[in-house]
């Protein structure tokens, strides 16, 4: 039995853990308090590694970032950034129209305060930016961590190749630790699901279904409305033949592989069959697999606003705009993180004064629904890489 389980994929193990947790909650509700430790240990582990992960990953990504020499790369990069921002704005709109209510275990003293005016929000952001880096990591001040990672990454862009390789090696080492933590996700999720269902009953299923509806609905809107508009503006032609081709030949594969990096060969082959300039595709597609994360921007935004709604924290338009920008920047660092965008949610949650303990519960909820969320997110991310690359190349060919 153990050998059979060890050969199953992580997704299969999580599905089994969810059903086992529901079964234990319904059949043995008095036993679930003893299982709470499993969920607490998992959340504690996530909380411990997340600050270091964000710091090292963003630092290494920026320090090793190479744009390349192709003149076509710049407009592709513009499409990547604009696409992610519009995806985050779409997620804000969907979250307002269909607010999600989550079941969270609140600490005895949360100390939550609603954000005040825009001036107060910007003041808090600036104070977080200039925090001591060691203190920022120790206190899980993700805004400060992000600021220092970006600053040091830019400063190290002109460092030696040896230094950049060391940063890459450190990032890979941290990723291995993350993979170890994520390997225990089914056990942690089993405990979390059992306790949550014992406390809230079948209402939890409705909560998860609502959250998935908003996430997948928003990603579908980005894929079928936002991206076609951007492609139409770029090519000045009907975008849907290209959009559907990319979704069919790249998105479906990415949905099942759940990895933008693993889908790079598929995208390069598709770009070649579409006649895209090889010099452009060979740079923009691998780059897109690293920084073009519209699906991640949607996930970060939706889950953060679900927490905000659950905690009854009022927000205004200016705060939501700032959240969209933060989600976009965070999404750029989502590649290579086991669990995708989920471990970067605390960066956005910190905008609203949400503690690390609560934001890590949001991460755990994200992992429970990741069976569909992560697959859809990856399909959107990866198909958009080849879509935007082809759109820019087709435009340049029609103008020449």
């Amino acid at each position: 039995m153990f050998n059979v389980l060890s050969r199953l994929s992580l997704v299969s193990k999580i599905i089994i853990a969810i059903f086992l947790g529901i079964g234990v909650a319904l059949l043995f509700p008095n036993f679930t308090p003893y299982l709470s430790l499993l969920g607490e240990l998992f959340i504690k582990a996530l909380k411990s590694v997340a600050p270091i992960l964000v710091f090292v990953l963003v630092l290494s990504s920026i320090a090793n970032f190479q744009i390349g020499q192709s003149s076509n790369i710049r407009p592709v990069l513009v499409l990547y950034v604009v696409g992610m921002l519009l995806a985050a704005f779409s997620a804000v709109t969907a979250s307002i129209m269909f607010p999600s209510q989550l079941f969270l275990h609140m600490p005895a003293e949360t100390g939550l305060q609603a954000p005040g005016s825009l001036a107060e929000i910007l003041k808090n952001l600036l104070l977080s930016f200039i925090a001591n880096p060691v203190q920022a990591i120790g206190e899980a001040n993700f805004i400060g961590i992000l600021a220092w990672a970006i600053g040091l990454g830019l400063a190290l862009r002109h460092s030696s190749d040896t230094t950049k390789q060391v940063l890459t090696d450190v990032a890979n080492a941290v990723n291995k630790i993350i993979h170890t933590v994520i390997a225990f996700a089914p056990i942690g999720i089993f405990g979390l699901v059992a306790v949550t269902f014992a406390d809230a009953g079948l209402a939890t299923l409705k909560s998860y279904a609502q959250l998935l509806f908003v996430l997948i609905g928003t990603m579908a809107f980005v894929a079928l409305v936002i991206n076609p508009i951007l492609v139409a503006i770029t090519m000045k032609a009907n975008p849907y033949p290209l959009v559907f081709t990319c979704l069919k030949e790249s998105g479906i594969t990415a949905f099942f592989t759940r990895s933008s990096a693993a889908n790079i060969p598929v995208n390069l082959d598709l770009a070649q069959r579409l006649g895209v300039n090889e010099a452009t595709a060979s740079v923009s597609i691998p780059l897109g697999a690293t920084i073009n994360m519209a699906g991640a921007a949607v996930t970060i935004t939706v889950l953060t606003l679900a927490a905000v709604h659950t905690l009854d924290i009022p927000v205004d338009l200016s705060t939501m705009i700032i959240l969209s920008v933060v989600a976009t920047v965070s999404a750029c660092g989502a590649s290579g993180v086991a669990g995708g965008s989920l471990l970067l949610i605390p960066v956005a949650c910190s905008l609203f004064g949400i503690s690390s303990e609560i934001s890590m519960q949001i991460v755990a909820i994200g992992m429970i629904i990741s069976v569909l969320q992560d697959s859809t997110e990856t399909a959107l991310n990866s198909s958009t890489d080849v879509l935007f690359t082809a759109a820019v190349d087709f435009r340049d060919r029609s103008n020449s």
Side-chain angles (χ1 to χ4, degrees), residues 250-398:
S250 173
I252 292 177
T253 306
F255 182 90
F256 290 103
T257 62
R258 302 172 76 233
S259 170
S260 294
N263 213 47
I264 288 176
V266 175
N267 281 347
L268 289 175
D269 178 68
L270 175 57
Q272 183 180 26
R273 287 187 282 116
L274 290 172
V276 176
N277 183 287
E278 184 178 354
T280 301
S282 63
V283 176
S284 64
I285 288 178
L287 182 62
T290 303
I291 67 169
N292 182 35
M293 299 288 164
V298 170
T299 297
I300 293 170
T301 304
V302 168
L303 285 171
T304 299
L305 288 179
V308 168
H309 176 72
T310 301
L311 299 171
D312 292 324
I313 301 176
V315 292
D316 54 20
L317 178 62
S318 58
T319 309
M320 291 183 179
I321 292 174
I322 295 174
L323 170 62
S324 299
V325 174
V326 170
T328 299
V329 174
S330 300
C332 291
S335 176
V337 183
S341 55
L342 298 177
L343 288 179
L344 297 170
I345 290 172
V347 177
C349 284
S350 63
L351 281 174
F352 304 94
I354 299 175
S355 68
S356 181
E357 288 82 357
I358 297 176
S359 63
M360 284 307 165
Q361 291 184 50
I362 308 299
V363 173
I365 290 173
M367 289 186 175
I368 292 173
I369 63 173
S370 67
V371 175
L372 290 176
Q373 168 269 324
D374 191 37
S375 296
T376 308
E377 177 184 312
T378 307
L380 173 60
N381 292 341
S382 190
S383 63
T384 304
D385 298 340
V386 67
L387 173 66
F388 286 167
T389 299
V392 170
D393 188 76
F394 292 170
R395 180 204 64 180
D396 291 345
R397 269 189 281 168
S398 64

Side-chain angles (χ1 to χ4, degrees), residues 48-113:
S48 299
V49 299
I52 299 175
L53 172 71
V54 172
F55 179 75
V56 172
L57 189 71
V58 175
L59 169 61
S60 175
S61 297
I62 294 177
N64 287 280
F65 179 77
Q66 297 292 335
I67 295 180
Q69 298 180 347
S70 173
S71 61
N72 287 349
I73 297 301
R74 188 178 296 275
V76 176
L77 286 175
V78 171
L79 283 177
Y80 285 168
V81 174
V82 173
M84 285 190 290
L85 274 173
L86 291 178
F89 291 148
S90 301
V92 168
T93 303
S95 297
I96 294 174
M97 295 174 62
F98 307 100
S100 300
Q101 187 78 27
L102 306 177
F103 292 93
L104 304 173
H105 297 281
M106 301 292 293
E109 295 182 4
T110 59
L112 287 174
Q113 293 182 351

